[in-house]
Amino acid sequence: KQITADHPKVSLLINNAGIALNGSIEEISLDNFELVLTINFRAQVALVKALLPTLKQTPGAHIGNVSTLFGLVAPAGQVAYASSKFAVRGFSDVLKMELKPLNIGVSTIYPAGVKTNIARNSLKGDHLDDKKAAANNTHFEKLLTMTPERAAEIIVGGIEKRKSRVLVGGVARLFDIIARLMPGSYGGLVARFMK
């Protein structure tokens, strides 16, 4: 209620929330898995529910739900994060069909390699070795090379064109193709890339 009171006219919602959690299913607790789902997925659902009445009042309104590269491919050791981002992808796909008759556009956004603090601030699985977690964070941080400003340009451009899918960066485009061509066997390629 507070959001709609503060913003009675909304024409664009960009849903972006992210917290990472290092660890396999055996290395993380259910509590931490739930925390990642709450922040990365349920928060997006809640904002859409809260703002949909006002979005419906604006012809041509648009929703941009930020998934990630790990909403296209799911690497080992990222079970909670990838699960939450695949959930965003599925939620967005349903919204596209449900909201099209209302002339509300929906874009699913797949950033890859954007230089943010997500790797540095990644949570550690309860049963994950501290040294392994630190090494994972350092390694992932090196893969983040695109500036947030460049990512924002691509995202805004995709939304302006009302694209259904916005792939941010060459890595996202590459792994989108790999996931489509090798849906059951891309794991080895993803693992090699991550190394």
Side-chain angles (χ1 to χ4, degrees):
K1 290 182 180 182
Q2 186 65 47
I3 294 173
T4 51
D6 291 346
H7 305 282
K9 291 187 178 181
V10 176
S11 60
L12 174 63
L13 167 62
I14 298 181
N15 254 326
N16 184 29
I19 184 172
L21 171 62
N22 272 316
S24 68
I25 192 66
E26 291 185 301
E27 294 167 330
I28 65 169
S29 68
L30 282 178
D31 286 343
N32 276 342
F33 193 101
E34 284 296 323
L35 176 65
V36 172
L37 282 180
T38 297
I39 292 171
N40 293 2
F41 173 59
R42 290 190 186 106
Q44 291 199 15
V45 175
L47 279 170
V48 168
K49 284 287 286 180
L51 292 175
L52 190 54
T54 187
L55 287 165
K56 285 167 65 174
Q57 295 172 17
T58 308
H62 202 88
I63 297 169
N65 288 331
V66 179
S67 178
T68 180
L69 172 64
F70 294 163
L72 297 169
V73 295
Q78 294 292 320
V79 66
Y81 186 73
S83 296
S84 70
K85 294 304 185 174
F86 267 84
V88 169
R89 176 181 175 177
F91 175 60
S92 300
D93 284 353
V94 172
L95 284 181
K96 288 169 195 174
M97 291 184 281
E98 291 184 355
L99 301 181
K100 186 175 183 178
L102 303 174
N103 195 27
I104 298 175
V106 179
S107 297
T108 314
I109 301 162
Y110 299 97
V114 181
K115 199 172 185 116
T116 68
N117 290 328
I118 195 160
R120 183 179 306 137
N121 296 333
S122 179
L123 300 177
K124 180 184 84 68
D126 301 66
H127 309 292
L128 181 62
D129 177 81
D130 287 343
K131 287 182 182 177
K132 182 179 175 184
N136 286 347
N137 289 357
T138 300
H139 177 68
F140 273 109
E141 199 166 1
K142 289 178 183 174
L143 299 175
L144 307 179
T145 57
M146 181 185 291
T147 67
E149 293 80 10
R150 178 62 186 136
E153 288 173 10
I154 295 168
I155 291 166
V156 170
I159 288 172
E160 285 177 342
K161 293 175 184 169
R162 295 179 76 82
K163 287 186 173 181
S164 173
R165 302 169 85 239
V166 181
L167 298 165
V168 181
V171 173
R173 290 191 299 277
L174 172 66
F175 277 101
D176 179 50
I177 293 167
I178 289 170
R180 289 169 188 249
L181 294 176
M182 307 168 60
S185 58
Y186 63 69
L189 284 173
V190 173
R192 281 201 294 276
F193 174 79
M194 295 300 168
K195 289 181 180 176

